Structure formats: C-alpha cells, structure tokens
Amino acid sequence: MKIFKKLLLALFLGAPGWLFAQQENPPLQYDVAVGLHSYYIPAMDARWNGPEPVVFAGVHQPFNQKQNLGLTLRLGYSRGQYQGDALQAQLLFGLAPVLAQHLELGFKLGVGYQFSFYPSAPIRWDEGQWVPGKAAKGVFQVPAQFSLGYRSIHVGRLEWQPYLAYQLQVLFGYSPDLSPLPVSNALLGFKISSLQ
C-alpha cells in the first residue's frame, strides 16, 4: 500500500510539470465546478439522499490542438453533515470529442485520494476499552466523470467553456462494511483559458 501511495504522489507532482513543459500544447485551462454530492449509485433502487455541497478547482492541460485529450489535476471540498467533511485531490485523464462544432462530450477517468473528517469525536476499541480515535481517515478514489459542455464563449481575452457533469467516485477503505463506497457528484463548471 505504501508503494501505491508513493506512486500516486509522484503522479500528482510529476505529471503536471511534464505536461506544462510541452510548448506545442494549447494553453493551460483553469477548471472550477460546484454542485451537490451524495453517497449513492444510480442502481439497485438506490435513492439520492441528503445531497450536500461540493466544490472543485484545478487545472486542465489539453494534449493537442483539437483539445480532445487532456489531463486534469484538481482539489475538492465536500460538505457532509452526517458522514463528515472531506478534502480530496484527483488526477483525471479525459477524452472530449466535439460535435456540431460547439457541443463537447466528455469522459474522464482517474485516481484520487480523500481525507474524510469525522463529524463527531471518533473513538476506537483498543485492548478492552474505548479510546480516542483519529480525526480523519484517508481513502483512495477511482473517479469517472461524464460531461456535456459548450465550446466556447469569448469574453475579452478569455475563453469560457461551461459544462454540466456527473461524476461517480468509488471510495476504497472507507470502512470494513462500506468498501467500495459509491459517491455521486452532480456538477456545473467552467473551463477558463486565455486566447492564443
């Protein structure tokens, strides 16, 4: 498990530097999204219960001039009244073909890590007694995101690309009884870049 954590850290720190050094790539895009999340999966008669706010901010580097392949590095915060608040980091590889010159269909798949903070004082069983537990728990994510966007709106020297997205994350190691645990995010976002 330690090797996996080191590899994930290397991807977060090393991949963006390698991508940004490529001079022929289109300009870096800033990606901001807000929405609602719920511990839910759209299957098995599950219900969208107790949605809470979620926000993401990050950078997206397209790989080619068509901007249909790219890598996104982003940080997020989600509110959780019952499950606790969470901070997360994600690295997503994306495919975004464009239809009818402006309609962008997107699919992203990646890896991430999340710190979930407990909403109340945690305790754990240790040698026959209850003792204080850790305030947060780290879990691995496997996020998959589907999006529909519009490419693009020009305002001054900036290019804006609005999108709607649905992201399903699978959390591993959340608890012995809930692993993997699905989390759904419904998002409204913008990719913003400077015009060349």
Side-chain angles (χ1 to χ4, degrees):
M1 191 59 77
K2 288 184 180 181
I3 293 173
F4 183 73
K5 288 182 182 179
K6 288 179 182 179
L7 179 61
L8 186 61
L9 181 63
L11 283 173
F12 276 125
L13 298 178
W18 175 79
L19 289 171
F20 303 156
Q22 306 296 317
Q23 296 300 321
E24 67 275 3
N25 286 340
L28 186 68
Q29 298 174 336
Y30 296 95
D31 189 343
V32 178
V34 297
L36 296 173
H37 80 100
S38 178
Y39 291 87
Y40 155 83
I41 187 171
M44 301 177 290
D45 294 328
R47 300 286 185 264
W48 178 274
N49 288 320
E52 299 280 353
V54 62
V55 61
F56 287 102
V59 292
H60 175 77
Q61 178 62 63
F63 289 158
N64 55 16
Q65 291 301 321
K66 289 184 177 182
Q67 299 184 21
N68 57 8
L69 294 174
L71 191 67
T72 302
L73 173 62
R74 66 184 183 183
L75 304 176
Y77 166 78
S78 58
R79 178 79 177 104
Q81 182 177 358
Y82 301 110
Q83 299 290 344
D85 296 354
L87 297 175
Q88 49 195 301
Q90 298 178 344
L91 185 65
L92 301 157
F93 176 76
L95 174 66
V98 177
L99 305 174
Q101 297 183 347
H102 294 287
L103 192 61
E104 180 180 271
L105 301 176
F107 173 72
K108 292 182 178 180
L109 185 63
V111 295
Y113 195 76
Q114 174 175 309
F115 282 104
S116 297
F117 297 92
Y118 298 112
S120 58
I123 57 174
R124 63 182 175 84
W125 186 255
D126 184 30
E127 297 180 9
Q129 63 181 346
W130 290 104
V131 296
K134 295 180 181 179
K137 181 174 185 64
V139 295
F140 289 100
Q141 299 177 337
V142 177
Q145 178 174 300
F146 303 92
S147 63
L148 177 63
Y150 182 82
R151 190 189 290 183
S152 57
I153 301 168
H154 297 165
V155 178
R157 298 290 303 156
L158 295 178
E159 182 178 80
W160 296 72
Q161 297 180 17
Y163 65 87
L164 293 171
Y166 171 77
Q167 184 183 73
L168 177 64
Q169 302 174 33
V170 180
L171 304 180
F172 292 95
Y174 189 83
S175 77
D177 298 325
L178 296 172
S179 186
L181 176 66
V183 179
S184 288
N185 295 324
L187 302 170
L188 170 63
F190 287 93
K191 289 188 284 186
I192 307 161
S193 62
S194 61
L195 293 170
Q196 289 183 324

